Amino acid sequence: MNIVEQRFLRGPSLYAAAPCLLAVIDLAAQQNAAGLGARLLALLPAMPAEAAARLSDCQAAHEALEPVVMELQRLAGASGTFGMTKTDPARPGQARVVCGYTVEQVAGQALRTAAALIDACASHVPFDLDAALDDLRDTAHRHAIGTSTAAVLAAAHRRGIPSLRLTEEANLFQLGWGSRQKRLQATITGATNHVAVGIASDKQLTKTLLDQAGVPVPAGSTVTTLEQALREARRIKGPVTVKPLDANQGKGVTVNCGTQDEIARAFEFARKYGRHVIVEEFLQGRDYRVLVAGRKVAAASWRRPPHVTGDGVSTVRELVEIENRNPARGDGHTNILTTIPLDDLALQVLASQGHDLDSVPAEGSVVDLRGNANLSTGGTAEDVTDLLPEETRDICIRAARTIGLDVAGIDIVCQDIARPLREQKGGIIEVNAAPGIRMHQYPSRGTPRDAGAAIVEALFGADDGRIPVIAVTGTNGKTTTSLMIAHATRLAGLRTGVTTTEGVYIDGERIVKGDCTGYRSARTVLASPDVDFAVLETARGGILKRGLAFDHCDVAVVLNVSADHLGLDGIDTVEELARVKFVIAERARRAVVLNAEDDHCVAMSSELAHGVEILYFALDADNPVLLRHLENGGRGVYLEDNMIVLATGTRHDALLDVRTMPCTMKGAARYNIANALAAAAALSATGFGNIEIAAGLRTFVSDWKHNPLRSNVFDVDGVTVIFDYAHNTAAYAALAETARALTPGRLVGVVAAPGDRRDEDLVAIGETCAAGFDELVVYETENRGRASGEVAALLVQGARLGKYETDHLQVELNVHEAIRAGLARCEPGDVLVFGCGSALTELTEAIRPTSPATASRIEAEAV
């Protein structure tokens, strides 16, 4: 099986709203294998019925890939939720296999394993599936999210709070976006005080502070020698607990030590985990854990030591082995319960009860394997939240606040948690930072408590952690529209993050340079704590390569859909391209802004989710789609007598004269007027007032400094040069229309196009340029795999289709020579359009030999 490409689509994509793995399969070399499905099912007999039915008579390897990948993920303990296999008549040599996943690393490994397994079965070659599954399970275990973290994330998800895993390896998560985000690692939050964590890790200091705060704690002190330990035990005059000063999860703890030998063994055990050891009064009773989140008690559990119950037949060893086979038990913290260890401490605890591993306990007798009840050493928990007296709740909250923890696990020992602590000589023995919450989420007995939700409530209150997000897509105009919106929001006092093809900007400062219109750049903005409002230019390539970085946006803007980038990434038609752009629209929760003059945009309106508002924009005030929408009480923005008008049903408010907007070139640049209409609609949909919208649009400047490569105008010795990134038919047509309105003289085009466009698209660009310009100079820029001169030849071919005369057409492959040739065809007062430009030096270096002063002036203007 030849997998020619694979992509992890980490957010909403063309295929699904959830993360999925896309694999492109080359079918050319594939041979069908009779009985392939049956052989695979024999190896994977537990496959779900629907998938098994599809696989039963399968002979094609690519058809088997998706169900096998999904089954391998399930067997690894990291199930995906959906899968599909797609073939395209336009690409008969390829298939696209899509598999949902929960753990990216497992999905990638499952794909490789599935391909190898299918190839082996097709060739009747043995395959060690057990070893492969062990490797997959190991990967799933290494990348699994801990139980406590998962509970908090699930609670956040139910609340609609977005989450981001900040690195692929660490369990460090961001809940919420921008300036409203909170961070989480297990149950340590961004609000957890570092000093408080240090206090909690020092058990003696914790006890001292609690005692000063009037919280009942056991007597005791810290020692470093056995002699000191024995002296402190004598002072306490009763059984003692011996434990390390700063260990956690019950490590090194021995309880109920009464004799010198027991104290000596306990001291040496504790010293394995730290140089300083606490010897304190052993409190009689049960072990309880109370979870405090914020200023509330979220849950309480009675923790029982790991134990087994005799059946009169099995040995202790056998009983433990049986219990450890419980599916709820596992290593570490990824399962509800932890496996019970049979170590030296377990042997000591058994011996104190008169047992060893080969003892056969009487039927019904309980045998403990630990003196402490930590879940991390195999203990179990029973919920007792409803039994806590108000006094005990207050003591626990006071204890957490005394230490300074926002989330704390309070360990209590007493005879009966339903009675006040002081009357039964109970007390708090520890306060824990980063407390595990699986005992509360999944108690062995009693009512489960949503501890994750309690932590989320403590972090966010009623907030959803989201900042406003506007996503902008379309074939042309995305960058300018995004910058217009961002300029207006910054002018309104909001720290705005914006992604564009020129970079990532945070509050007006570019922090990343380059084409930043995809997943990673959007994450950069959403992860920044300095962003109150996000405007995300979202290009076709970003959607197809990684999916969206957000689950939802407030407002989606679709400017237009026209032929560009066709033949790439499996997108061959404008209709398919429109479906890619629609991915943005279907993720909007509040409103979608659509171009009423673009049929593909209008068609999207019928597929939007119920309750999502539609705002249309149009340059033509009499556009029938717009008029019908307004008649039905909808909102829209249109141009009338050079005024931008915001309409809501019968109310029509004039915002500003487009001729006062610098970016419209006194109203000549109709494409920037259209961008302004879309920006006004998006801002209105987000809740901005008319005065704020008008002020933002009126003061937006589209020069080289603020919006490079977007219709930047320079004077070169009396010739007006319009510098633009135009690289498709729609953009060149719009540029020619604008330039024609600026001059009564001639219009000269210096044009190129990227080489990864289809032949027919390059020919169409040439034909469009021939129709728009009086004189044409063709050059080459990024050939992207084509031979030198090939792109130019196709552009010339298109120009000649338009009956373009040879005298008006020139080819100069070098960009500097092309600009000089274009300027040579101009007289003062003419306009030259330099299309598909990529750097200002292309212009300045072209003119420097003949006009060094002009080149220097342009460089100074651009700073």
Side-chain angles (χ1 to χ4, degrees):
M1 183 182 301
N2 184 14
I3 300 175
V4 297
E5 183 181 0
Q6 73 173 51
R7 294 177 179 177
F8 289 103
L9 302 171
R10 293 169 175 156
S13 66
L14 193 58
Y15 305 100
C20 58
L21 169 61
L22 167 66
V24 181
I25 313 300
D26 180 10
L27 302 181
Q30 177 175 289
Q31 295 181 349
N32 288 349
L36 174 62
R39 290 194 290 279
L40 288 168
L41 282 174
L43 292 171
L44 301 167
M47 185 175 289
E50 187 275 333
R54 286 191 287 120
L55 196 60
S56 59
D57 58 354
C58 173
Q59 300 184 33
H62 75 278
E63 293 178 355
L65 187 59
E66 174 262 315
V68 173
V69 170
M70 299 305 292
E71 177 65 0
L72 291 177
Q73 289 188 91
R74 187 186 70 81
L75 292 173
S79 297
T81 55
F82 67 93
M84 68 177 76
T85 300
K86 298 185 66 174
T87 55
D88 185 351
R91 294 173 179 266
Q94 287 186 349
R96 291 177 173 261
V97 174
V98 180
C99 300
Y101 66 81
T102 54
V103 179
E104 186 172 297
Q105 294 82 357
V106 174
Q109 187 175 337
L111 177 68
R112 296 188 295 273
T113 303
L117 173 61
I118 292 168
D119 286 346
C121 284
S123 303
H124 299 274
V125 174
F127 185 87
D128 191 345
L129 182 59
D130 289 339
L133 285 173
D134 285 343
D135 287 344
L136 276 169
R137 291 184 180 112
D138 180 63
T139 300
H141 177 74
R142 284 187 287 109
H143 294 280
I145 298 172
T147 306
S148 294
T149 307
V152 180
L153 293 175
H157 178 74
R158 291 193 298 271
R159 286 268 304 270
I161 298 170
S163 64
L164 301 173
R165 192 171 191 169
L166 293 179
T167 73
E168 293 184 5
E169 301 297 329
N171 274 329
L172 177 62
F173 288 84
Q174 174 184 313
L175 302 181
W177 289 334
S179 58
R180 294 164 75 175
Q181 68 177 268
K182 310 290 183 182
R183 287 190 174 176
L184 179 80
Q185 191 167 39
T187 57
I188 290 280
T189 77
T192 301
N193 188 299
H194 178 72
V195 173
V197 174
I199 294 171
S201 67
D202 185 329
K203 296 178 174 59
Q204 186 60 41
L205 178 57
T206 296
K207 285 205 309 175
T208 299
L209 294 179
L210 294 182
D211 187 44
Q212 292 175 359
V215 173
V217 294
S221 65
T222 303
V223 301
T224 56
T225 67
L226 176 58
E227 182 181 4
Q228 292 172 343
L230 293 171
R231 185 185 309 122
E232 182 62 22
R234 288 193 296 272
R235 187 186 68 80
I236 292 172
K237 296 180 181 178
V240 295
T241 295
V242 180
K243 59 187 179 182
L245 177 68
D246 53 4
N248 58 14
Q249 298 178 353
K251 295 174 183 175
V253 178
T254 307
V255 300
N256 198 14
C257 301
T259 68
Q260 288 190 5
D261 288 344
E262 289 173 341
I263 294 169
R265 285 196 300 269
F267 179 81
E268 290 305 317
F269 181 53
R271 282 289 297 269
K272 293 179 180 180
Y273 297 92
R275 193 168 67 88
H276 295 85
V277 175
I278 293 178
V279 178
E280 68 182 17
E281 175 188 6
F282 170 63
L283 298 183
Q284 296 283 346
R286 295 173 173 177
D287 188 335
Y288 297 95
R289 165 63 65 84
V290 177
L291 176 69
V292 174
R295 298 192 177 190
K296 296 180 180 178
V297 167
S301 294
W302 169 27
R303 300 188 300 177
R304 300 188 63 184
H307 61 277
V308 291
T309 302
D311 59 8
V313 176
S314 305
T315 66
V316 170
R317 190 193 311 273
E318 290 168 339
L319 291 170
V320 172
E321 289 174 354
I322 292 169
E323 176 58 29
N324 280 342
R325 289 198 291 269
N326 180 348
R329 291 192 182 272
D331 295 330
H333 296 269
T334 56
N335 285 56
I336 296 171
L337 297 173
T338 301
T339 53
I340 300 172
L342 291 179
D343 53 13
D344 289 343
L345 183 57
L347 296 178
Q348 292 177 24
V349 174
L350 283 172
S352 69
Q353 301 167 85
H355 292 295
D356 58 27
L357 291 176
D358 296 320
S359 299
V360 178
E363 183 176 359
S365 65
V366 176
V367 179
D368 288 336
L369 279 305
R370 267 296 189 277
N372 62 71
N374 294 72
L375 263 67
S376 57
T377 54
T380 59
E382 178 178 334
D383 178 72
V384 293
T385 306
D386 294 334
L387 300 180
L388 256 64
E390 196 63 36
E391 176 186 307
T392 303
R393 291 174 181 267
D394 291 342
I395 288 173
C396 290
I397 295 169
R398 182 159 20 109
R401 289 179 55 74
T402 297
I403 303 307
L405 292 171
D406 61 324
V407 178
I410 314 296
D411 289 346
I412 296 175
V413 174
C414 65
Q415 296 291 343
D416 183 358
I417 196 66
R419 295 165 51 202
L421 291 182
R422 288 188 176 86
E423 74 175 32
Q424 56 180 318
K425 295 185 179 180
I428 291 177
I429 59 171
E430 286 186 24
V431 176
N432 299 275
I437 60 174
R438 56 181 174 155
M439 71 182 77
H440 309 300
Q441 295 279 150
Y442 312 104
S444 303
R445 295 180 60 188
T447 304
R449 305 290 174 172
D450 197 341
I455 293 173
V456 170
E457 182 182 355
L459 285 171
F460 288 95
D463 189 31
D464 65 2
R466 294 177 183 265
I467 60 172
V469 174
I470 297 178
V472 180
T473 194
T475 302
N476 294 309
K478 300 184 293 296
T479 294
T480 299
T481 304
S482 297
L483 290 175
M484 281 181 178
I485 296 169
H487 175 73
T489 58
R490 286 192 66 220
L491 206 62
L494 294 170
R495 296 174 299 172
T496 301
V498 58
T499 62
T500 74
T501 52
E502 297 305 313
V504 176
Y505 299 80
I506 302 295
D507 202 23
E509 178 184 353
R510 182 161 64 179
I511 64 168
V512 180
K513 185 177 182 180
D515 186 348
C516 298
T517 57
Y519 176 89
R520 183 176 178 180
S521 303
R523 269 187 61 125
T524 297
V525 168
L526 296 175
S528 171
D530 299 319
V531 172
D532 305 318
F533 197 106
V535 184
L536 306 176
E537 178 182 343
T538 309
R540 167 209 66 90
I543 300 171
L544 292 172
K545 288 179 172 61
R546 281 290 179 263
L548 302 181
F550 48 89
D551 57 346
H552 295 287
C553 56
D554 292 273
V555 178
V557 180
V558 187
L559 296 167
N560 43 61
V561 184
S562 60
D564 196 13
H565 299 280
L566 299 181
L568 301 174
D569 302 307
I571 304 302
D572 299 303
T573 67
V574 178
E575 289 72 23
E576 290 173 340
L577 182 60
R579 184 66 189 82
V580 176
K581 307 291 185 184
F582 181 69
V583 171
I584 305 294
E586 67 181 344
R587 305 316 301 169
R589 297 195 307 176
R590 188 167 180 175
V592 175
V593 175
L594 297 172
N595 187 344
E597 297 171 317
D598 186 302
D599 290 342
H600 294 290
C601 290
V602 173
M604 295 179 188
S605 63
S606 62
E607 299 184 57
L608 296 175
H610 177 72
V612 175
E613 182 186 11
I614 298 172
L615 288 86
Y616 281 113
F617 69 93
L619 288 167
D620 179 8
D622 295 322
N623 176 271
V625 173
L626 174 69
L627 291 177
R628 277 196 305 273
H629 183 66
L630 297 180
E631 287 171 1
N632 291 326
R635 288 199 288 172
V637 184
Y638 61 88
L639 179 69
E640 186 170 51
D641 297 331
N642 289 314
M643 297 296 294
I644 292 180
V645 180
L646 173 62
T648 303
T650 58
R651 177 169 179 168
H652 296 244
D653 296 323
L655 297 182
L656 77 161
D657 189 322
V658 297
R659 292 169 296 187
T660 66
M661 296 173 57
C663 67
T664 70
M665 303 180 195
K666 299 182 180 180
R670 289 179 64 80
Y671 52 88
N672 271 349
I673 297 174
N675 293 336
L677 298 176
L683 288 163
S684 181
T686 318
F688 287 85
N690 291 0
I691 294 175
E692 292 173 309
I693 297 171
L697 297 180
R698 186 180 292 112
T699 56
F700 175 73
V701 177
S702 185
D703 58 14
W704 187 268
K705 180 178 180 180
H706 298 92
N707 192 16
L709 301 176
R710 270 73 188 173
S711 300
N712 309 133
V713 179
F714 302 98
D715 179 271
V716 179
D717 302 327
V719 176
T720 299
V721 175
I722 302 177
F723 194 137
D724 198 277
Y725 181 58
H727 56 277
N728 55 50
T729 55
Y732 273 120
L735 266 179
E737 179 188 12
T738 295
R740 184 69 67 189
L742 294 177
T743 179
R746 287 176 304 166
L747 188 57
V748 177
V750 178
V751 302
D756 58 358
R757 273 42 173 187
R758 301 176 305 179
D759 288 2
E760 58 264 41
D761 296 328
L762 294 171
V763 170
I765 289 171
E767 189 172 8
T768 297
C769 290
F773 299 103
D774 300 317
E775 307 275 344
L776 203 58
V777 180
V778 175
Y779 74 99
E780 286 191 340
T781 175
E782 301 175 82
N783 285 345
R784 299 180 183 178
R786 291 184 183 266
S788 177
E790 186 180 350
V791 174
L794 290 166
L795 293 172
V796 168
Q797 179 184 335
R800 287 177 175 158
L801 287 175
K803 310 295 184 185
Y804 215 65
E805 297 180 10
T806 303
D807 290 347
H808 299 291
L809 177 62
Q810 183 176 346
V811 176
E812 295 287 351
L813 297 185
N814 178 269
V815 63
H816 298 141
E817 294 297 332
I819 291 173
R820 285 193 280 268
L823 288 169
R825 291 173 176 265
C826 294
E827 300 289 342
D830 291 345
V831 174
L832 181 145
V833 171
F834 174 41
C836 209
S838 60
L840 187 61
T841 54
E842 293 171 328
L843 175 61
T844 57
E845 294 309 306
I847 65 176
R848 196 180 303 279
T850 56
S851 302
T854 302
S856 297
R857 174 178 53 79
I858 290 174
E859 288 172 336
E861 290 174 357
V863 175

